[in-house]
Amino acid sequence: MAVRIDEMDRKILSQLQEDASQSLDEIARKVGSSKTPVWNRIRRMKEQGVIGRQTVILDPEALGLEACFFVLIRTSEHEAEWQQKFLRTLRERPEVLEAHRLAGDIDYILKVRVQNARAYDAFYQALISEVKIYNVTALLSMEEIKSTTLLPL
Amino acid sequence: MAVRIDEMDRKILSQLQEDASQSLDEIARKVGSSKTPVWNRIRRMKEQGVIGRQTVILDPEALGLEACFFVLIRTSEHEAEWQQKFLRTLRERPEVLEAHRLAGDIDYILKVRVQNARAYDAFYQALISEVKIYNVTALLSMEEIKSTTLLPL
DNA sequence: GGTGAAAAATGGTGGAC
DNA sequence: GTCCACCATTTTTCACC
């Protein structure tokens, strides 16, 4: 997974993160290079998987997704089969935006975006009916102080 | 913040989320419309703020950001001035990718991306030296099961 | 609100240095 | 590896339905 990235690559990535709709010429000018080398570097980084999906960030509130929960999960089951099913469920559910397996006494954390508390409860009921879970704590977000996809470069 | 979005808008947003590098023609064809109306709808939704930043998703591992922590914070301070400073600190720190104020006994949750455990400790020390915090629990991610910016439409 | 065409800008490629 | 110029595609605007 380790990939050689030099200063010029970092500058290009930074520009792309900031605004991927910029033209090649514009990016080239800002990073102090010209079109072809910038284009070649971008192509290489896409092939290597450093650069992934190109997307737009939507406003969840405007789309009626007004509730955001962080869900802390403890489980008693640690068998492979149980885990497979659990992971599949999480990946299939579009309201699960993030899922991590953790070190320590909490086993998993999820970030879940839904319309409202009732929609969260529906998700929760569906989840626990599909897989056995020992303990669940839901943390309700009152205010999104910060939310960014921009990685520090 | 509530905005009128019809079925066609949703289809367009879905396509843009999936792949923002698609041409207008391609999007128009997929949603069963044509170029100009799709373009007008996209422009309107950008003005309304439904569509925000256009960006690329980078692979954190490839960039050497191999550690991801979720940080649960309890604080004894609830004064306006303290909060102002705390929020400013979070917004300024690029390693803080998400920050939410919570309901319940945990006051804040952060998602923090750093190179390694040492870099996290540096962040943690900097944070507690800037603002007084009652209790901090760091959850270390062992495995990113899912991470998406695609909102359910 | 949709269609089609035309002008301006951009992406992608190949050749010279 | 960088610069430059070329052409096909795409974006963006506009007049018309």
Side-chain angles (χ1 to χ4, degrees), chain B residues 102-118:
Chain B
L102 301 175
D105 66 325
I106 296 170
D107 296 303
Y108 297 94
I109 187 168
L110 315 181
K111 181 187 172 192
V112 180
R113 262 272 171 209
V114 285
Q115 292 192 286
N116 48 43
R118 229 181 47 229

Side-chain angles (χ1 to χ4, degrees), chain A residues 58-64, chain B residues 1-14 41 44-46 48-51 153:
Chain A
L58 305 182
D59 178 2
E61 311 271 334
L63 296 164
Chain B
M1 265 299 186
V3 173
R4 289 175 50 87
I5 299 284
D6 65 15
E7 260 316 297
M8 182 58 76
D9 288 329
R10 292 193 118 79
K11 284 188 194 168
I12 294 169
L13 291 177
S14 181
R41 282 163 183 268
R44 183 173 46 79
M45 289 192 284
K46 279 183 179 166
Q48 290 173 331
V50 180
I51 299 177
L153 299 172

Side-chain angles (χ1 to χ4, degrees), chain A residues 50-62:
Chain A
V50 180
I51 298 176
R53 185 193 293 278
Q54 181 162 337
T55 189
V56 293
I57 303 303
L58 305 182
D59 178 2
E61 311 271 334

